[in-house]
Amino acid sequence: MSNETEIRPFRVDTPDEAIADLRRRIAATRWPEKEPVDDQSQGVQLATIQALARYWATEYDWRKCEARLNALPQFITEIDGLDIHFIHVRSEHEDALPLIVTHGWPGSIIEQLKIIDPLTNPTAHGGAASDAFHLVIPSLPGYGFSGKPTTTGWDPDRIARAWVELMGRLGYTQFVAQGGDWGAMVSDVMGTQAPPELLAIHLTWPFTVPPEIDQAVQTGSPLPSDLSADERRACEQLAFFYAHDLGYAQEMSHRPQTIYALEDSPVGLAAWLIDHDTRSYALIARVFDGQTEGLTRDDVLDNITLYWLTSTAVSSARIYWENNKYTFFAPKHVAIPVAVSAFPDEVFQTPRSWTERAYSNLIYYNKAGKGGHFAAWEQQQLFSEEVRAGFRSLR
Amino acid sequence: MSSGPEIRTFRVEMPDEAIADLRRRITAARLPSKELVADRSQGVQLATIQELARYWAAEYDWRACEARLNALPQFTTEIDGVEIHFIHVKSPHAGALPLIMTHGWPGSVIELLETVGPLTDPTADGGQAEDAFHLVLPSLPGYGFSSEPTELGWNVGRVAQAWAELMHRLGYTRYVAQGGDVGAAVTDRMGRQAPEGLLGIHMNLLVTVLAGPPPAESEQERAAADQLATFRESGFGYRLEQATRPQTIGYALLDSPVALAAWLLDHDTDSYYKISRAFVDGEPVGNLTRDHIVDNITLYWLTNTAVSSARIYWEDGQARAQALASGQAPRPVSLPVGFTTFPSEIWRTPRSWVENSYPNVTYFNEADKGGHFAAWEEPELFATEIRAAFRSLRQSH
């Protein structure tokens, strides 16, 4: 009989046939006509996705990603009836601070691979030994190698409780949490639950938009006349998001199961996953246009291939359906210490004023110089410095 | 040399290989895990799509649909740079009233086929000769056998202009227009544009209330407003995705027949359950049979029109934003307007809303049954409504 709280080592081992089938399907793609616009305003452009598909079918090597994952200590443990997959890298520095970092959608643990060494081994990356973290990187329920819930109820609250249980099971009695996108939601909810073990959280997607401003932006009503320049810019970013970048989220909130498309068509899946927000799409499109700033083609395809091989497009989308309690931007009245890094190309760059109002115990705020929605993935050095700085006062 | 713009006869002839490829893809479909709920609240249910896929690959015969289409007079003609496909059935009755009827999304001319008999030849059907119509059923640009616009600007207003040109080209100097769903939006615009010869319009979806909240004072109005709010809160995803990213969802829909089927099935709650019942329980409602549903999906598949058809939502979003920015109110419809509320439509439109939107309502009725795809689901009842709605326009001329 297996122990319920057992922690089992995990290795990725993809059958050859799954990879061959993927290649066959990419090669057999039926394509639409080119979009009738010269920009991304109708969605993923044909030239971009065709370049991605060509590289994916002919040059890309999943086995490299598999080897990279298998070089890390990976585990699975059952929490609240569900298998949770996680990477767990302990720092060599004894006093390292335990940190649980959570990815979002359309991401996975692939987003966080590049920050593992800078965070666990800071002295090799321009940091001090006192900046070290013991790092836990779980896969959200229904994502990657975590189990797919077979019942409803895995909302951010339940995930947050599972993460606290996970850290306890690993023997961490004091820890911090970090996240962007859904990972920020989970971390923020952990902040509201405020278990005594949780010292602080760090967010790259903070929940700071004053409700009256959010309402005005959504309805197109007049904004207060006394907004600062930063606040005005954030409002413009939010208005753009509501007008152009919300479709995928609404569909997944309303009808995650209807997107059968993503399970059956690799190119369909790739297009859906690279079209998150306008700026991250532009970054990814640049990558397939031969520029390597931020991400590489392999980075992007490692993540997409993980979704494909684990058949998790629908199960990952269900978190949008499950969450009927929190909005994307509203403050939740977190009272524990909070650190915020505002990246300029994030969906909105939170102004310090809103951030201070939303978090009564704001211990760190900084506008990062560069990076967007996938900050850990595209700007690993800068991101790692932000996380170190964000939590420094707690050590 | 022909004197005017050419109207060419059209026949559907799909290559065997396209049908074989479709079957192969359906059989090879990768499906997700089962939804976590016992209803459609997470979307198209796995059991429904599995049964649809089984039927589609194993029993369904596209050639029967092709034969049905080819038994009708079909044509194409180029209007404003786009090749427009249409069915044109002239009534045997000389005094018939010309009627242009427009399908919507996720539909096609397939939705309207069963109304051809009752509308053009009413005497065969218990109707009277003076109820007869000459019927024109165009495929929207980017839909079915119409060509895909390669330039921007094909919003419903431009389609409305093209329809007026089509009717003119067919020699009709006095005619009426009808539509539901996107077809209702096109018909509404035709009413506003009031091209010469258009006598009146009839719709079975009130598109005007999508622009802003309608009055919710009476009990009927409040009930309809609640239905509209539910649609916005839980059934709006496909619309927003198509309005903002038609190309992105399109890659999957062109590449996976099962994906396409699920996307097209998941329109509104009532029609979804009716369609689901046809497959899972073998109990179709009205004319929404397995074959008719799969005919429509197969038409989208074989013509590769999932992306081009979705673009009309994007175009409409652009047009709405421009109209909003211009600050100009839309032109009112002064022509006679008929409206039929089908009780299972997404919102059950009260007469007051119709009168609130259109100053000259000459016909309103609530039918006994039928939903969003009224012409498809209840063709006889639908035809009765169209006859009744336009009767007064014949008498006045």
PDB file of all heavy atoms in Angstrom, chain B residues 6 80 123 151 166 253 257 368 374:
ATOM      1  N   GLU B   6     -21.935  39.061 -65.372  1.00  0.00           N
ATOM      2  CA  GLU B   6     -22.313  37.695 -65.690  1.00  0.00           C
ATOM      3  C   GLU B   6     -22.876  36.962 -64.473  1.00  0.00           C
ATOM      4  O   GLU B   6     -22.384  37.123 -63.370  1.00  0.00           O
ATOM      5  CB  GLU B   6     -21.063  36.962 -66.179  1.00  0.00           C
ATOM      6  CG  GLU B   6     -21.352  35.761 -67.008  1.00  0.00           C
ATOM      7  CD  GLU B   6     -20.075  35.026 -67.349  1.00  0.00           C
ATOM      8  OE1 GLU B   6     -18.976  35.586 -67.100  1.00  0.00           O
ATOM      9  OE2 GLU B   6     -20.188  33.895 -67.835  1.00  0.00           O
ATOM     10  N   ASP B  80     -18.848  43.547 -56.227  1.00  0.00           N
ATOM     11  CA  ASP B  80     -17.915  44.309 -55.399  1.00  0.00           C
ATOM     12  C   ASP B  80     -16.637  43.494 -55.125  1.00  0.00           C
ATOM     13  O   ASP B  80     -16.093  43.536 -54.020  1.00  0.00           O
ATOM     14  CB  ASP B  80     -18.632  44.678 -54.089  1.00  0.00           C
ATOM     15  CG  ASP B  80     -17.972  45.832 -53.354  1.00  0.00           C
ATOM     16  OD1 ASP B  80     -17.002  46.404 -53.900  1.00  0.00           O
ATOM     17  OD2 ASP B  80     -18.399  46.136 -52.229  1.00  0.00           O
ATOM     18  N   THR B 123     -48.925  26.282 -52.644  1.00  0.00           N
ATOM     19  CA  THR B 123     -50.148  25.500 -52.888  1.00  0.00           C
ATOM     20  C   THR B 123     -49.892  24.009 -52.716  1.00  0.00           C
ATOM     21  O   THR B 123     -50.801  23.259 -52.372  1.00  0.00           O
ATOM     22  CB  THR B 123     -50.693  25.767 -54.304  1.00  0.00           C
ATOM     23  OG1 THR B 123     -49.625  25.588 -55.240  1.00  0.00           O
ATOM     24  CG2 THR B 123     -51.248  27.182 -54.407  1.00  0.00           C
ATOM     25  N   GLU B 151      -9.941  41.584 -49.167  1.00  0.00           N
ATOM     26  CA  GLU B 151      -9.694  42.924 -48.634  1.00  0.00           C
ATOM     27  C   GLU B 151     -10.635  43.155 -47.467  1.00  0.00           C
ATOM     28  O   GLU B 151     -11.610  42.445 -47.280  1.00  0.00           O
ATOM     29  CB  GLU B 151      -9.900  43.970 -49.718  1.00  0.00           C
ATOM     30  CG  GLU B 151     -11.300  43.931 -50.293  1.00  0.00           C
ATOM     31  CD  GLU B 151     -11.575  45.099 -51.234  1.00  0.00           C
ATOM     32  OE1 GLU B 151     -10.632  45.826 -51.563  1.00  0.00           O
ATOM     33  OE2 GLU B 151     -12.736  45.269 -51.612  1.00  0.00           O
ATOM     34  N   LEU B 166     -27.474  42.420 -55.939  1.00  0.00           N
ATOM     35  CA  LEU B 166     -27.842  41.086 -56.430  1.00  0.00           C
ATOM     36  C   LEU B 166     -29.307  41.069 -56.890  1.00  0.00           C
ATOM     37  O   LEU B 166     -29.625  40.584 -57.981  1.00  0.00           O
ATOM     38  CB  LEU B 166     -27.603  40.050 -55.325  1.00  0.00           C
ATOM     39  CG  LEU B 166     -28.037  38.612 -55.620  1.00  0.00           C
ATOM     40  CD1 LEU B 166     -27.305  38.040 -56.835  1.00  0.00           C
ATOM     41  CD2 LEU B 166     -27.805  37.722 -54.386  1.00  0.00           C
ATOM     42  N   LEU B 253      -9.533  25.069 -36.532  1.00  0.00           N
ATOM     43  CA  LEU B 253     -10.804  24.705 -37.165  1.00  0.00           C
ATOM     44  C   LEU B 253     -10.619  24.229 -38.591  1.00  0.00           C
ATOM     45  O   LEU B 253     -11.407  23.448 -39.104  1.00  0.00           O
ATOM     46  CB  LEU B 253     -11.765  25.893 -37.134  1.00  0.00           C
ATOM     47  CG  LEU B 253     -12.028  26.510 -35.761  1.00  0.00           C
ATOM     48  CD1 LEU B 253     -13.067  27.612 -35.866  1.00  0.00           C
ATOM     49  CD2 LEU B 253     -12.472  25.465 -34.752  1.00  0.00           C
ATOM     50  N   PRO B 257     -11.437  18.313 -38.168  1.00  0.00           N
ATOM     51  CA  PRO B 257     -12.895  18.285 -38.371  1.00  0.00           C
ATOM     52  C   PRO B 257     -13.656  18.222 -37.048  1.00  0.00           C
ATOM     53  O   PRO B 257     -14.711  18.857 -36.917  1.00  0.00           O
ATOM     54  CB  PRO B 257     -13.136  17.004 -39.179  1.00  0.00           C
ATOM     55  CG  PRO B 257     -11.822  16.426 -39.501  1.00  0.00           C
ATOM     56  CD  PRO B 257     -10.745  17.186 -38.813  1.00  0.00           C
ATOM     57  N   ASP B 368     -45.137  29.240 -31.725  1.00  0.00           N
ATOM     58  CA  ASP B 368     -45.359  28.246 -30.670  1.00  0.00           C
ATOM     59  C   ASP B 368     -44.085  27.493 -30.309  1.00  0.00           C
ATOM     60  O   ASP B 368     -43.917  27.039 -29.190  1.00  0.00           O
ATOM     61  CB  ASP B 368     -46.382  27.200 -31.124  1.00  0.00           C
ATOM     62  CG  ASP B 368     -47.753  27.826 -31.279  1.00  0.00           C
ATOM     63  OD1 ASP B 368     -47.981  28.867 -30.630  1.00  0.00           O
ATOM     64  OD2 ASP B 368     -48.567  27.282 -32.050  1.00  0.00           O
ATOM     65  N   ALA B 374     -34.567  28.787 -36.498  1.00  0.00           N
ATOM     66  CA  ALA B 374     -35.994  28.531 -36.703  1.00  0.00           C
ATOM     67  C   ALA B 374     -36.289  27.967 -38.098  1.00  0.00           C
ATOM     68  O   ALA B 374     -37.051  27.009 -38.233  1.00  0.00           O
ATOM     69  CB  ALA B 374     -36.777  29.815 -36.473  1.00  0.00           C
TER      70      ALA B 374
END
